[in-house]
Amino acid sequence: MAVKKQSRADQGGINYDAIAQSASFRGLIQAKKRFIIPATVFFFVFYFALPVLTSYSKALNAPAIGPVSWAWLFAFAQFIMTWALCILYSKRAAQFDAIVEQVKQEAAEGGNT
């Protein structure tokens, strides 16, 4: 007696291939890429600028406010930048969640456009 092996898509009644091919899902992926890739590039450039500039130049050694140098202000700005990116992503994630709900609704209705 042969036992037919079912995939997860068959077990749940969800056609993941159709969802992945839908215009809404592709739009979601594109929207996330348009945000995440530039934000990540900005984060890494900003983050690695401090060690590179302090190691290979004297640009950040000048005093900015009294005895506090620009390097210290740049380092503090990295904390602010990290929080700002987190807040920005949290707000953007709400938009992504709305698109996910749209994709789920279309999948439930059987729409694959």
Side-chain angles (χ1 to χ4, degrees):
M1 175 178 196
V3 176
K4 183 179 177 188
K5 203 175 209 182
Q6 290 183 334
S7 69
R8 284 186 177 230
D10 295 337
Q11 292 172 357
I14 299 171
N15 187 350
Y16 291 106
D17 291 329
I19 292 172
Q21 296 301 320
S22 72
S24 313
F25 183 77
R26 285 184 276 139
L28 170 66
I29 298 302
Q30 285 302 104
K32 288 180 82 170
K33 282 182 183 178
R34 279 193 308 270
F35 176 77
I36 292 171
I37 291 173
T40 302
V41 169
F42 170 76
F43 174 82
F44 279 121
V45 168
F46 195 86
Y47 180 80
F48 285 112
L50 179 63
V52 168
L53 288 174
T54 55
S55 298
Y56 299 108
S57 78
K58 304 244 185 253
L60 298 178
N61 290 346
I65 302 170
V68 178
S69 70
W70 286 106
W72 282 103
L73 292 179
F74 194 93
F76 181 69
Q78 288 187 341
F79 287 99
I80 296 169
M81 179 267 309
T82 302
W83 280 95
L85 282 178
C86 288
I87 292 168
L88 187 61
Y89 180 77
S90 295
K91 290 179 187 278
R92 190 63 62 97
Q95 295 172 359
F96 298 151
D97 290 344
I99 299 171
V100 167
E101 290 303 319
Q102 177 185 354
V103 169
K104 287 168 51 176
Q105 182 67 30
E106 288 175 4
E109 294 170 356
N112 297 331
T113 57

